[in-house]
Amino acid sequence: MNSTLKVITDKLCCKSFGIALMLTCLNFICYAQDEKINKNTASINGGTTLLVYSRAGFNYERLLKSSDKRIFSRYYLNAGLGRFVEANGFAPAPIPYGIETALQFIVLTGTGANHLELGTGLSVGFVTFYKFPDPNQETENTITKANFLVGYRFQEKKGMFFRVGAAYPIGLYMGIGVSF
């Protein structure tokens, strides 16, 4: 009985080792295919809707998947942190301002350096309402909004990139960054 148990245990160990070795090799093969494209990007962005909303911030993106054989060639997860001001034109109303965090899913089309950039996600703003003209009348609140973007991105597989487009709630945006 002990010899049968030992044989079964040895076979399971060999199979487990073989499966682990195959998965490790497969993992290296998959990463070797994406080695040409840098997996991280960092950018500084700014955007405005004239007299209504302005934002400046920092974004970090992580490449989730890339493929040269599909319409959507790159898939990114984007995390952003920025400062915003939302005004009511020239109306004397409370002016919200604060810090905004954003999490987006972004896809790029094309295989060259010119890409259509599409994204959607969620923004959370930590808002302070400043009541003009009395600065002592401030209230704080948290606002959650869906966000969307459509833009153009010039990005080669490595190095600097440039992006410009339209987004909600930002309006027109522009950014410059680096992939690493």
Side-chain angles (χ1 to χ4, degrees), residues 46 54-55 64 68-69 77 92 95 106 114 130 140 156 174 180:
S54 296
R55 180 189 184 274
L64 300 174
D68 290 338
K69 298 177 183 169
L77 185 62
I95 300 173
I106 295 177
N114 299 302
Y130 169 77
E140 294 184 0
E156 296 187 0
M174 184 173 68
F180 54 96

Side-chain angles (χ1 to χ4, degrees), residues 11 18 35-37 44 47 49 51 55 57 64 71-72 79-80 99 105 108 113 116 137 139 142 145 150 163 176:
K11 284 184 179 182
E35 220 172 31
K36 298 181 247 169
I37 299 174
I44 297 172
T49 305
L51 300 176
R55 180 189 184 274
L64 300 174
I71 293 174
F72 297 118
I99 294 180
F105 180 72
L108 302 181
L116 173 66
Q137 294 185 7
T139 57
T142 302
K145 295 180 181 180
V150 176
R163 61 196 296 210
I176 188 166

